[in-house]
Amino acid sequence: MSDWTIRRAKIEDAAALARCIDDAYAPYRSRIADLPAVSEGIDKDIEDHLVFVAVLDDRILGGLVLIQQPGFALLANVAVEPRATGRGVGRGLIEQAEAACRQLRIDEIRLTTHVAMPENVRLYERLGWQRTGTFGNKMHMAKTLPPSPTPAPNRAKGD
């Protein structure tokens, strides 16, 4: 059992979540010259999209931004602070996004990652994502979600 939990982000989380995202991407800055400002607009994301945070006490360990699109959801960002890696936080956030998609009756999630982040690609592949193509230094991936199991209807005797 983990000592952290996942919840929906609140606007009050924006500054701490932005720091967490920046810390998570910091190791990539030296090898990815065109890495965008990944935490920019996180307050707007919290207001407009599904944003989840993994927390331990009052500390944000990671976050995920999920944007609903027509026919699919876009996993726009997932980040785990470096001190929390290896604790299942990224996997937990992705599983939370998948559960949210099932509730919304969305059966496909897409994402774009950078080819210079092979460790992320391996994680996504272990979680069932498929590569759908590359465009320059961007790798596109998708996952089709199996339908949620539905309980069998209760049948009264004599039916």
Side-chain angles (χ1 to χ4, degrees), residues 39-110:
S39 64
E40 189 173 288
I42 196 67
D43 52 344
K44 187 87 167 114
D45 287 332
I46 291 170
E47 290 175 356
D48 296 344
H49 306 296
L50 287 174
V51 179
F52 298 99
V53 290
V55 295
L56 174 62
D57 300 322
D58 291 329
R59 193 173 107 224
I60 292 179
L61 304 178
L64 180 142
V65 177
L66 188 68
I67 300 173
Q68 201 171 340
Q69 300 286 329
F72 69 96
L74 176 65
L75 197 164
N77 198 342
V78 61
V80 176
E81 75 167 25
R83 294 175 294 171
T85 58
R87 295 171 69 178
V89 174
R91 174 186 298 265
L93 287 164
I94 292 169
E95 288 172 354
Q96 180 66 45
E98 291 177 10
C101 285
R102 285 187 187 96
Q103 286 181 334
L104 295 168
R105 301 195 190 292
I106 296 171
D107 63 2
E108 182 183 20
I109 306 178
R110 299 177 189 172

